[in-house]
Amino acid sequence: METLQIYWWLLISVLGGVLVFLLFVQGGQSLLLETRGATAKNVIVNALGRKWELTFTTLVVFGGAFFASFPLFYSTSFGGAYWLWMAILFSFVLQAVSYEFRRKSGNLYGTGTYDFFLLLNGVVGCVLIGVAVGVLFFGGDFSVTRGNILDGQAPVISVWASTHGLEAICSWKNLLLGFTLFFLARMNAALYLMNSVDDGSKFFTGCRNKAILNGIVFVILFLALLAVILLSDGYTVAPDGTVTAVAYKYAINLIELWWLLAALALGVVLVLIGYGLTLLRKTYNKGIWWTGIGTIITIVALLCDLGYNNTAYMPSLTDPQSSLTIANSSSTEFTLTVMSWVSLLVPVVILYIWIVWRKMNATPMTSAEVDADSHSY
Amino acid sequence: MEDLIQVVDWSRMQFALTAIVHWLFVPLTIGLSLIIAVMETIYYRTRNEKWLKTEKFWMTLFAINFAIGVATGIILEFEFGTNWSNYSWFVGDIFGAPLAIEGLLAFFMEATFFAVMFFGWKKVSAGFHLASTWLVAIGVSLSALWILVANAWMQYPVGMEFDPAQMRNVMSDFLAVATSGVAINKFFHAVTSGWVLASVFVIGVSCIIAARGKNLAMAKDSVKVSGWIGLIGIILTMWTGDGSAVEVARVQPMKLAAMEGLYRGEVGQELVGFGLIDTENKEIDLKIGIPKGLSLLANHDMDSFVPGIDDLIDGIALTPEGDTINTVSYAERIEIGKAAQQALRDYEAARQAGDKGAMEAANARIRENYRFFGYGYFNSPQDAVPPVALTFYSFRIMVMAGGYLLLLLIVALFVVYKKPDWFDTRLARWIGALSIPVVWICSEAGWIVAEVGRQPWTIQDILPVQAAVSAVTASSVQITFWLFAVVFAALIAAEISIMVKEVKKGSEREITE
């Protein structure tokens, strides 16, 4: 059973890592704020538009996989931090229609409105997903009492603070994580555009400048975030299930699980290589692959740091004994086994996504191509 | 939770709103993806450019619809957590699996190949493109399969057992969940109804386009493809609908009684073809009945007994000879449910005290009484009765509209093959245009029957809505409900406006030239 829980936490971490990488779509949408001219905006939106569904789907699958493997998390976090998740939800609902509607005649509200929705999702989606992840590191105000199911007047087992997630949005630590994610997404977006668009040197240079600038902000925020995480208290779970606070728990995990530390270091180095090569070589356009792979490895390492080594991955600040661990929040051995068989198809999914990505991005996009395509966004 | 009932009501309204809005787009996506794939296959085989241009016209409408379907779909997944958090834990071990499988096996397929379908014309080979178009259609149906497996399990919970130590239900047989008769019927019924909806949409739009005179051939080709798909679809929908009726009679007899507005059943029960229900006096006015029809529909036996709402509440059934036999009344079910809940309390107390003997004894009582666990939340048998009038009228609307659509599809094929001169007339345009809302009303009415008729259960007999909610305030849900309502209204208005513009554009230029 323990092996299955570890396996599923790893899968969740990988999905989380892929999701954070794919948030370059949101980062790119946020770049619309400083992009001038309809042509440049159209090129950016169409370049991102080839991938937006992949990000959206990964978010949905991430949620579904979390639900299937750790249902108590789904129940506690979604039902508790109501406003946080609703804000994320609304931003993604608006995004989903904006690509298709923005330049269609008869769209009622004009291209500018849909571009604003994309911008909104780009900022709010990234930052608030970061806040939601921040709750995993820094805890939330909730309690879990399974016996409540028998209380006819108040039958809910997971009860959150009355602010229902607004307090999480106001936490500076959570916001630090959110903005770190935001600037990472913006940097990755600029690198992606450099790689997938061929629309003259002005466009390329503009993206390169954005990558460099957002990269600097990201590195500063990431170092601050790493320091905060490593200096924070975490919660450890004893064999009898008792949860207690432990100083520097996340740092201790990295020392005790040396391979996680190695993975984290590798991920960070890859991101820095991608950034460095872009900084040093004026025409270098493959930075996205370095930073993309680095992003995934870094996030996987951080999420594993959160869930492994008898750590509560979502500590309750109100009642530590209610904290969620991979042991007390998971599905049963039977369900995890069934799901594990299904997960054997993941390589097939990755394979066809890879094949399609390669075919669709074999030649960089141009503004002429966007203008000529009757289905362009 | 002082405002529990209000939280429950607003959560139900919010879920109903999002489900209804989501279902406006899903069946069109299901059916249109198939129609487009068939058109591209014809193009691939014949290399006749008119089919490519025809396909591209429908693809534009497909994409507009697909986007808003995706947007509304994610809300439902989130709402299981945000508004039904107790449900998410109580049955998450079973319910989460189909959702995750849907995402992994269907969503990625749709999302990946959708990009090829729309932007890959010059980037991949014709064969690869055709395969991508089919994979989108298959992905859409696979997505429906897993969602309907999940939905069917809520209506007919199988393949599970209750674990008192964790106070939740756990999966014991995945195949039973994935292949239950209710799930299989529901899947084919919903998917083939999607074929019907999209076919009627294509026929309706084709009639409008044809009336302008510029795209008569393209409109006829579209009707030929969609007409056959629609006709096959509606025959299968009716066949699986019959199967669904049998399943409902077997596992949700209260829903069937509500569908018929039946309070006291008989051996050889008639089917109400038309009528106005009076729920206060438990009567149906202006009734046109089909003798023995309901017995035949529900049990495939004209002389069988079909229980009414009061029969079920009183626990009364009749033998084929008309003799009364007793089943478990709803008052008894409430007692059994309360006994199961008390046994669970005892189990928990014994577990905390470390008394294994008492735990086993309590567990035995839980197992004995668990089948009616959810009734323990009710104070009165009436609490377990769904809204009868809404279920009754929705069922009639669905059936009558379905009959009309069958006729429409037959006539459309007859006209397009045998009387092509009738096709581009004003009458055809009006019939085509007015049939579009009919098919949507039919489709939504079907879901209202399925979902309102099963109230008050989230999990049949196990978990009623009031025990499934989240600990949020009613005002919070009220605010998000209205936000959703405003956003949906705005987006639907935009979508319809874009669709109308695209159809108008299609009418004013020669699409296949």
Side-chain angles (χ1 to χ4, degrees):
Chain A
M1 179 62 174
E2 194 184 344
T3 307
L4 283 167
Q5 288 163 339
I6 288 170
Y7 173 68
W8 270 94
W9 187 258
L10 179 65
L11 282 186
I12 293 294
S13 302
V14 171
L15 271 171
V18 173
L19 176 63
V20 170
F21 163 56
L22 291 173
L23 283 178
F24 75 76
V25 170
Q26 274 62 34
Q29 290 167 197
S30 77
L31 293 177
L32 290 174
L33 183 65
E34 61 255 42
T35 303
R36 296 286 169 264
T39 305
K41 282 186 180 178
N42 289 341
V43 169
I44 289 176
V45 169
N46 278 278
L48 299 170
R50 306 291 193 267
K51 307 296 174 206
W52 80 263
E53 284 205 57
L54 214 48
T55 311
F56 199 92
T57 301
T58 307
L59 175 65
V60 173
V61 175
F62 181 72
F66 230 141
F67 192 0
S69 52
F70 299 98
L72 192 56
F73 164 79
Y74 206 80
S75 163
T76 305
S77 177
F78 279 67
Y82 188 79
W83 289 112
L84 172 61
W85 287 109
M86 280 293 174
I88 293 171
L89 182 59
F90 273 105
S91 86
F92 276 88
V93 168
L94 294 176
Q95 182 219 20
V97 295
S98 295
Y99 280 100
E100 195 60 47
F101 286 12
R102 65 185 289 272
R103 286 206 297 161
K104 290 276 187 301
S105 58
N107 70 16
L108 295 183
Y109 316 114
T111 304
T113 303
Y114 293 101
D115 285 354
F116 174 73
F117 289 161
L118 291 177
L119 179 64
L120 190 73
N121 171 251
V123 179
V124 172
C126 274
V127 173
L128 293 190
I129 284 178
V131 168
V133 175
V135 174
L136 301 185
F137 278 102
F138 307 118
D141 294 326
F142 65 90
S143 63
V144 177
T145 313
R146 288 180 173 81
N148 281 358
I149 194 84
L150 296 169
D151 182 342
Q153 297 308 310
V156 184
I157 64 165
S158 296
V159 179
W160 202 277
S162 58
T163 41
H164 288 299
L166 292 175
E167 81 293 340
I169 298 173
C170 296
S171 154
W172 70 268
K173 287 181 180 177
N174 294 342
L175 284 173
L176 175 61
L177 205 159
F179 278 100
T180 305
L181 218 57
F182 176 61
F183 282 98
L184 171 67
R186 283 169 63 87
M187 179 188 74
N188 279 339
L191 294 173
Y192 168 78
L193 292 171
M194 289 166 69
N195 182 261
S196 58
V197 175
D198 179 10
D199 208 42
S201 60
K202 190 180 168 194
F203 184 87
F204 186 87
T205 309
C207 290
R208 184 170 174 271
N209 291 340
K210 285 169 187 163
I212 291 169
L213 185 64
N214 286 287
I216 290 171
V217 180
F218 160 67
V219 170
I220 293 168
L221 289 177
F222 180 72
L223 289 174
L225 175 69
L226 205 57
V228 171
I229 289 174
L230 296 180
L231 294 173
S232 288
D233 290 354
Y235 287 78
T236 193
V237 194
D240 66 355
T242 310
V243 178
T244 47
V246 173
Y248 313 120
K249 173 63 178 163
Y250 303 118
I252 292 168
N253 283 353
L254 288 177
I255 294 164
E256 291 181 351
L257 305 175
W258 62 268
W259 50 274
L260 270 187
L261 182 60
L264 180 63
L266 175 65
V268 171
V269 167
L270 288 175
V271 172
L272 291 176
I273 288 174
Y275 181 75
L277 288 172
T278 306
L279 186 69
L280 296 173
R281 299 187 198 171
K282 282 190 172 177
T283 57
Y284 189 75
N285 71 347
K286 293 187 169 51
I288 182 63
W289 296 115
W290 293 98
T291 61
I293 294 168
T295 298
I296 294 170
I297 294 174
T298 304
I299 298 298
V300 170
L302 285 173
L303 290 177
C304 287
D305 183 32
L306 193 60
Y308 290 166
N309 207 27
N310 302 316
T311 309
Y313 70 79
M314 190 162 92
S316 167
L317 305 176
T318 315
D319 170 27
Q321 301 316 315
S322 292
S323 301
L324 304 190
T325 69
I326 62 172
N328 71 12
S329 65
S330 84
S331 284
T332 56
E333 186 171 2
F334 182 88
T335 297
L336 291 181
T337 304
V338 169
M339 295 296 301
S340 298
W341 283 108
V342 175
S343 75
L344 294 180
L345 290 168
V346 168
V348 177
V349 175
I350 291 170
L351 181 68
Y352 71 64
I353 290 174
W354 175 250
I355 290 170
V356 167
W357 187 302
R358 294 283 302 212
K359 282 183 179 289
M360 296 299 287
N361 285 48
T363 50
M365 177 184 285
T366 63
S367 54
E369 183 187 337
V370 172
D371 290 340
D373 188 346
S374 61
H375 277 300
S376 66
Y377 295 128
Chain B
M1 294 176 69
E2 291 174 10
D3 54 354
L4 177 64
I5 297 304
Q6 281 197 334
V7 173
V8 172
D9 286 346
W10 280 103
S11 298
R12 290 166 89 176
M13 283 174 63
Q14 182 163 292
F15 202 85
L17 174 73
T18 44
I20 284 172
V21 171
H22 184 50
W23 192 252
L24 289 173
F25 312 107
V26 173
L28 186 58
T29 302
I30 291 171
L32 208 47
S33 62
L34 176 66
I35 291 168
I36 288 167
V38 170
M39 287 176 173
E40 187 167 337
T41 305
I42 299 171
Y43 164 68
Y44 184 79
R45 291 174 69 93
T46 63
R47 299 291 163 158
N48 186 336
E49 287 285 317
K50 74 169 184 176
W51 282 106
L52 179 63
K53 288 172 179 169
T54 303
E55 179 202 358
K56 284 190 173 181
F57 172 75
W58 295 112
M59 275 176 64
T60 304
L61 302 184
F62 174 79
I64 296 160
N65 178 75
F66 188 84
I68 196 163
V70 169
T72 50
I74 193 175
I75 303 171
L76 293 172
E77 187 198 33
F78 270 56
E79 280 182 353
F80 283 117
T82 54
N83 294 92
W84 305 99
S85 72
N86 247 23
Y87 171 91
S88 296
W89 169 247
F90 200 58
V91 297
D93 190 62
I94 309 142
F95 189 80
L99 289 195
I101 296 171
E102 183 209 13
L104 187 65
L105 300 188
F107 278 171
F108 274 124
M109 191 186 284
E110 287 175 55
T112 306
F113 292 101
F114 181 90
V116 181
M117 189 177 164
F118 281 87
F119 305 108
W121 291 106
K122 292 177 182 168
K123 293 177 189 284
V124 299
S125 67
F128 193 99
H129 194 279
L130 176 65
S132 300
T133 305
W134 273 105
L135 284 170
V136 169
I138 292 167
V140 167
S141 290
L142 270 180
S143 170
L145 170 68
W146 289 107
I147 283 298
L148 292 165
V149 162
N151 180 277
W153 181 82
M154 298 162 86
Q155 320 238 5
Y156 180 44
V158 288
M160 64 158 210
E161 56 194 44
F162 184 70
D163 178 359
Q166 300 185 73
M167 293 196 182
R168 65 167 169 168
N169 295 281
V170 297
M171 185 153 48
S172 60
D173 185 346
F174 177 70
L175 280 181
V177 175
T179 62
S180 82
V182 177
I184 300 296
N185 247 307
K186 210 171 241 304
F187 167 67
F188 284 107
H189 193 60
V191 167
T192 54
S193 75
W195 299 359
V196 176
L197 185 138
S199 298
V200 173
F201 172 77
V202 170
I203 290 169
V205 171
S206 297
C207 288
I208 295 167
I209 290 175
R212 297 286 182 106
K214 288 199 172 170
N215 293 291
L216 193 56
M218 173 266 183
K220 283 179 185 168
D221 287 339
S222 298
V223 173
K224 283 176 185 172
V225 171
S226 60
W228 284 113
I229 289 174
L231 188 61
I232 294 167
I234 201 157
I235 291 167
L236 291 174
T237 304
M238 288 179 167
W239 182 43
T240 51
D242 174 66
S244 287
V246 174
E247 293 291 350
V248 168
R250 186 170 68 87
V251 304
Q252 294 174 302
M254 181 60 86
K255 182 197 281 187
L256 184 71
M259 284 159 65
E260 278 301 294
L262 180 68
Y263 286 88
R264 287 289 175 197
E266 294 174 357
V267 171
Q269 178 64 45
E270 71 173 354
L271 179 73
V272 179
F274 177 81
L276 301 175
I277 191 160
D278 176 355
T279 51
E280 273 190 24
N281 296 312
K282 302 182 178 179
E283 287 173 357
I284 294 173
D285 302 326
L286 303 174
K287 183 166 67 177
I288 301 172
I290 302 166
K292 301 194 177 190
L294 187 59
S295 290
L296 182 65
L297 185 77
N299 304 317
H300 289 178
D301 175 0
M302 288 201 291
D303 295 319
S304 63
F305 171 69
V306 180
I309 293 167
D310 289 342
D311 299 319
L312 290 164
I313 286 174
D314 296 341
I316 292 172
L318 300 179
T319 65
E321 293 74 32
D323 299 328
T324 303
I325 50 174
N326 291 321
T327 59
V328 186
S329 71
Y330 274 37
E332 289 167 325
R333 290 180 188 213
I334 290 172
E335 289 308 312
I336 293 169
K338 289 188 187 300
Q341 294 186 1
Q342 184 54 48
L344 184 55
R345 285 188 198 94
D346 296 344
Y347 180 93
E348 182 60 15
R351 192 181 67 81
Q352 287 184 4
D355 184 345
K356 288 193 174 174
M359 282 167 68
E360 280 177 21
N363 197 12
R365 282 192 287 131
I366 293 169
R367 282 201 298 271
E368 185 187 340
N369 298 303
Y370 190 70
R371 64 192 169 127
F372 296 129
F373 183 87
Y375 287 86
Y377 291 100
F378 298 144
N379 297 317
S380 151
Q382 291 300 326
D383 293 345
V385 178
V388 177
L390 182 56
T391 312
F392 174 85
Y393 286 120
S394 298
F395 183 57
R396 283 212 143 81
I397 289 169
M398 179 189 74
V399 171
M400 282 191 264
Y404 165 76
L405 295 171
L406 173 65
L407 188 66
L408 175 81
L409 288 160
I410 292 169
V411 170
L413 283 170
F414 175 77
V415 168
V416 82
Y417 281 105
K418 300 292 182 189
K419 296 284 182 190
D421 293 348
W422 295 2
F423 187 57
D424 52 342
T425 59
R426 279 171 63 91
L427 180 64
R429 185 178 64 177
W430 278 107
I431 291 174
L434 291 175
S435 296
I436 293 174
V438 173
V439 75
W440 256 283
I441 290 167
C442 179
S443 189
E444 293 284 4
W447 271 109
I448 291 171
V449 172
E451 296 302 305
V452 175
R454 64 137 150 167
Q455 296 299 316
W457 301 108
T458 54
I459 304 294
Q460 184 71 37
D461 295 345
I462 305 295
L463 191 70
V465 282
Q466 67 260 40
V469 286
S470 301
V472 289
T473 58
S475 58
S476 298
V477 188
Q478 214 170 341
I479 290 168
T480 51
F481 171 86
W482 288 113
L483 282 172
F484 278 124
V486 169
V487 169
F488 289 158
L491 295 184
I492 290 170
E495 172 179 330
I496 292 172
S497 170
I498 294 169
M499 286 265 200
V500 168
K501 283 273 183 191
E502 290 295 330
V503 172
K504 205 173 167 192
K505 272 200 282 183
S507 309
E508 289 166 354
R509 65 183 168 89
E510 294 194 11
I511 294 167
T512 52
E513 288 303 311

